[in-house]
Amino acid sequence: MMTIALHATLVMVSIAALLNLYRLVQGPDAPDRILALDTLYINGIALITLLDLVLGTRLYLEAAMLMAVMGFVGTVALAKYLKRGSVIE
């Protein structure tokens, strides 16, 4: 029963990632695209974690943690660039 739930969740998160990718490409303006990119990396973290659960290993959790940190830094840098025009003052 748990494997069915994990596979169904993988499918649903994959569909959400595809919809986020669509918003990233078709976004009306830059803040919408940054928000779509932020949500896309969160979906990527969820996919990596779910894959780790399906495979029954702990190998991918470090990759998910690194992806979370890099995604946060990237989102902050893009938001700062949109607000001020430069990342480093």
Side-chain angles (χ1 to χ4, degrees), residues 11-74:
V11 169
M12 287 186 270
V13 173
S14 298
I15 291 171
L18 288 174
L19 290 172
N20 284 324
L21 190 64
Y22 173 76
R23 174 53 64 192
L24 183 65
V25 173
Q26 295 292 331
D29 53 357
D32 285 336
R33 289 190 170 124
I34 290 175
L35 185 62
L37 186 64
D38 187 47
T39 311
L40 187 62
Y41 89 78
I42 290 172
N43 283 333
I45 293 167
L47 283 172
I48 290 172
T49 307
L50 287 170
L51 181 67
D52 191 54
L53 288 172
V54 167
L55 295 177
T57 65
R58 299 222 179 238
L59 295 174
Y60 299 112
L61 291 178
E62 290 180 19
M65 298 277 278
L66 276 170
M67 190 172 174
V69 169
M70 297 305 284
F72 174 74
V73 170

